Amino acid sequence: MPSLIGSPADGVAEALFGIAASLSDQRSADVAILYLNLTLYLRPDFDLARVLIASRYEAMAKYDLANGIYRASSPRRLLRDDQVQAAINDGRQGQIKPASPR
């Protein structure tokens, strides 16, 4: 059975993600975002961390930052939910954009 943690950096990224996910109150949003950025630095393919950081930005009404996170995923990894959420954020800002080709 393959290991879920492939390297020490993966282990640290998982630990930081766990801490960030537990920081759900508004006062600790900045700390959670810091930990999530470190998580993505250590493990850039950690899509769940990418979704969580975008969600934190949305809670702070920072829709441009959230959309930047959603759109930073490569097209093959970008989840449909991310595309929908980015479109909702654009609408919240009054920025209606045409759908991107598939």
Side-chain angles (χ1 to χ4, degrees):
M1 183 163 144
S3 173
L4 295 175
I5 307 297
S7 70
D10 288 349
V12 172
E14 289 283 343
L16 289 170
F17 174 79
I19 294 168
S22 71
L23 299 173
S24 59
D25 65 326
Q26 191 63 26
R27 293 181 307 168
S28 57
D30 290 334
V31 174
I33 288 170
L34 172 68
Y35 287 170
L36 289 166
N37 277 310
L38 289 170
T39 297
L40 291 171
Y41 175 78
L42 293 169
R43 194 170 150 202
D45 65 337
F46 201 150
D47 290 331
L48 192 52
R50 193 173 309 284
V51 170
L52 185 57
I53 194 171
S55 172
R56 295 287 195 254
Y57 282 135
E58 288 170 353
M60 299 168 73
K62 295 183 177 184
Y63 304 117
D64 284 338
L65 292 172
N67 285 354
I69 297 294
Y70 288 133
R71 292 184 177 121
S73 296
S74 68
R76 65 180 166 76
R77 283 197 327 223
L78 187 63
L79 305 172
R80 289 187 195 271
D81 291 343
D82 290 353
Q83 292 171 329
V84 169
Q85 196 59 45
I88 290 169
N89 290 339
D90 287 341
R92 287 174 174 158
Q93 299 178 93
Q95 301 173 0
I96 307 304
K97 298 178 182 176
S100 58
R102 293 186 185 242

